[in-house]
Amino acid sequence: QKEVEQNSGPLSVPEGAIASLNCTYSDRGSQSFFWYRQYSGKSPELIMFIYSNGDKEDGRFTAQLNKASQYVSLLIRDSQPSDSATYLCAVNIRRGSYIPTFGRGTSLIVHP
Amino acid sequence: NAGVTQTPKFQVLKTGQSMTLQCAQDMNHNSMYWYRQDPGMGLRLIYYSASEGTTDKGEVPNGYNVSRLNKREFSLRLESAAPSQTSVYFCASIIQGMNNQPQHFGDGTRLSIL
């Protein structure tokens, strides 16, 4: 089992819809969770981070964390074609110290 | 303020050649990382340096060496390049307190080994 799991997709949604991206992780001691967006040929850029159970909202983005079930999700409301990208989930996993560990990423396609 | 700078941006090597990928950050960050990204594989950690003077292996260290030259610079060396090392390499850094800080990434080095 990979330490951080994501469905590779592609996830295809129409413009204006809600896109829901999910991530599960194996280390119950993980405290920090990040979502990065990566456009083709570019480097990852941070869009959300969350440390506490519950929801965290930033504009059209909402991160949701459930530590008991060991999953973190990202909701994108009013999806736009410009949101089409790969979304990477990262979790700080304990290996002695905490090491940022990435899932394989979910490809999102928002079609007009 | 350049952030994280990687050089070169592109490189083509022949099997068996060696080269060093350079990474420098100007944000006074303590921790630095090298990842490789292959299609459908996400980012895989090669080596990291939690602080100046320390380096540790990540998930896929074989075939690579690193040097934390000073607080700013963290280089990745391929001693004898192999086609399996064809990939996009990203350097990243974190200010401190590794447990709760996001990473800042460089633009990547696209490496092809023939």
Side-chain angles (χ1 to χ4, degrees), chain B residues 42-58:
Chain B
L43 291 165
R44 293 186 292 170
L45 184 65
I46 305 171
Y47 271 93
Y48 67 99
S49 172
S51 61
E52 186 179 356
T54 69
T55 60
D56 286 285
K57 295 179 180 179

Side-chain angles (χ1 to χ4, degrees), chain A:
Chain A
Q1 178 192 6
K2 265 188 76 71
E3 293 169 308
V4 180
E5 298 258 22
Q6 293 182 259
N7 187 324
S8 61
L11 173 65
S12 182
V13 301
E15 184 174 357
I18 296 175
S20 177
L21 305 163
N22 299 312
C23 173
T24 59
Y25 60 94
S26 60
D27 181 7
R28 285 193 170 275
S30 297
Q31 301 290 323
S32 308
F33 309 87
F34 307 91
W35 283 100
Y36 292 84
R37 178 177 61 200
Q38 187 177 27
Y39 293 113
S40 181
K42 301 295 185 181
S43 59
E45 57 177 326
L46 179 74
I47 53 173
M48 289 287 290
F49 60 89
I50 186 166
Y51 307 137
S52 303
N53 272 331
D55 295 359
K56 179 182 179 182
E57 188 173 317
D58 184 1
R60 297 187 295 112
F61 298 98
T62 298
Q64 299 175 317
L65 175 61
N66 184 323
K67 290 185 178 181
S69 299
Q70 295 175 244
Y71 82 78
V72 56
S73 61
L74 179 70
L75 301 179
I76 306 174
R77 292 182 298 280
D78 188 24
S79 295
Q80 301 297 310
S82 59
D83 294 325
S84 298
T86 296
Y87 289 80
L88 298 166
C89 172
V91 179
N92 283 3
I93 301 288
R94 278 177 306 182
R95 294 198 195 99
S97 51
Y98 282 89
I99 305 300
T101 303
F102 286 79
R104 295 187 176 192
T106 298
S107 174
L108 173 66
I109 299 171
V110 181
H111 53 87

